[in-house]
């Protein structure tokens, strides 16, 4: 999961992605996940609490490498508007 978050450019570094998951700020299909290595599949819905926003992303695809922003954007559908806490 941390690798996908990094490839999708949700965070700047893979270590940041792992810390985000370990601290309990990511839910997979509504269930809190604290293991950065948790496997996700196409169709899973990730709810991610970032700073003061909440992003809801539906996993569409995977990449072998981290690409530019345009290639990262095709990995997910944004389901929810960013909410301010």
């Amino acid at each position: 999961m941390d690798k996908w978050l990094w490839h999708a450019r949700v965070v700047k570094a893979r270590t940041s992605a792992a810390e985000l998951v370990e601290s309990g700020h990511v839910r997979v299909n509504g269930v809190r996940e604290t293991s950065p290595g948790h496997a996700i599949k196409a169709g899973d819905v990730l709810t991610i609490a970032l700073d003061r926003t909440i992003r809801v992303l539906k996993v569409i695809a995977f990449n072998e490498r981290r690409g530019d922003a345009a290639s990262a954007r095709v990995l997910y559908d944004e389901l929810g508007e960013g909410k301010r806490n």
Side-chain angles (χ1 to χ4, degrees), residues 39-56:
I40 55 174
K41 60 189 182 312
D44 282 348
V45 176
L46 304 182
T47 306
I48 307 157
L50 285 170
D51 299 321
R52 295 173 148 185
T53 62
I54 297 173
R55 294 184 71 187
V56 182

Side-chain angles (χ1 to χ4, degrees), residues 22-79:
E22 287 171 348
S23 63
H25 294 291
V26 179
R27 291 177 184 259
V28 180
N29 299 322
V31 178
R32 183 166 300 183
E33 184 55 57
T34 57
S35 172
H38 180 80
I40 55 174
K41 60 189 182 312
D44 282 348
V45 176
L46 304 182
T47 306
I48 307 157
L50 285 170
D51 299 321
R52 295 173 148 185
T53 62
I54 297 173
R55 294 184 71 187
V56 182
L57 309 177
K58 182 175 183 181
V59 178
I60 300 297
F62 299 89
N63 268 351
E64 290 296 316
R65 308 175 113 193
R66 187 173 196 238
D68 61 4
S71 64
R73 182 62 187 94
V74 300
L75 300 180
Y76 60 89
D77 277 339
E78 187 97 30
L79 298 180

